[in-house]
Amino acid sequence: MNTQSTIYIAGHQGLVGSAILQELLAAGHAPETILTRTHAELDLTNQAAVQAFFAAEKPAQVYLAAAKAGGIHANSTYPADLIYQNLMIQGNLMEAAYQNGVQKLMFFAPSADTLPLDALALSDDSYAFAKTAGIKLCEEYASRDDADYRYILLPVLSGHGVQQHDGSHVDGIAAASINVMNLPKASYSQRKPHVLN
Ligand SMILES: NC(=O)c1ccc[n+]([C@@H]2O[C@H](COP(=O)([O-])OP(=O)(O)OC[C@H]3O[C@@H](n4cnc5c(N)ncnc54)[C@H](OP(=O)(O)O)[C@@H]3O)[C@@H](O)[C@H]2O)c1
């Protein structure tokens, strides 16, 4: 792993993002090589702000762990917000990263256990719809020769104050995600999709 490249973790205060941050520090990345912004500092639904951030900071890699969290309550009480915010976060980040020469980007989505992929289920689940669109967007950028965009499908997670029955611990998942990010491109593509559990 190149511990000198500048890495932006979007959503570094969330469950997955905070674990990625700790794993990168433990792996020898100097704190000054890791870029973070809180939601208050950079609203990722704001396209102009995201573009300006990438143009100024030019990170080499991005972990896209920011999301508007879904669930039964969120899907039933604010479905439009859920799909709008996730589509904007994903779209703004992937496009700004592409325009600013980011070498690698990692996107996170729920695995099939938690992400209903059939059309009927999708129509009832704004979160699943948005995350599925994110996977497709990631794959389409990755089909360009100059964009090494990757995604990982995650199980239900526990850790750092979030204790889910049977959830996989987020620290192990974060370490595995960093390993997938650092695979040679051919190995990543051969073994895709990477489903962690
Ligand atoms: N947790 C799980 O069990 C699980 C399972 C499968 C997949 N995943 C995937 O992993 C990813 C991360 O999930 P997570 O559980 O770590 O989520 P999380 O704990 O809710 O963290 C999400 C982070 O994104 C930030 N954020 C949300 N909207 C933002 C915006 N408009 N601008 C800037 N920052 C924003 C949040 O900041 P604020 O809180 O300040 O808004 C928070 O720090 C998601 O893509 C999710 O689909 C998670």
Side-chain angles (χ1 to χ4, degrees), residues 5 10 21 24 47 59 116 136 168-169:
S5 28
L21 174 59
L24 287 172
Q47 184 184 40
K136 180 68 175 160
S168 302
H169 199 280

Side-chain angles (χ1 to χ4, degrees), residues 48-68:
V50 173
Q51 292 276 359
F53 169 74
F54 274 82
E57 300 293 345
K58 298 278 185 198
Q61 295 187 10
V62 173
Y63 286 89
L64 204 177
K68 176 82 174 169

Side-chain angles (χ1 to χ4, degrees), residues 14-16 39 42-44 65-67 89 108 110 127 131 154-155 157:
L15 184 63
V16 172
H39 190 161
L42 178 61
D43 180 356
L44 297 169
I89 290 169
F108 298 96
Y127 185 69
K131 300 306 287 190
L154 302 181
L157 300 172

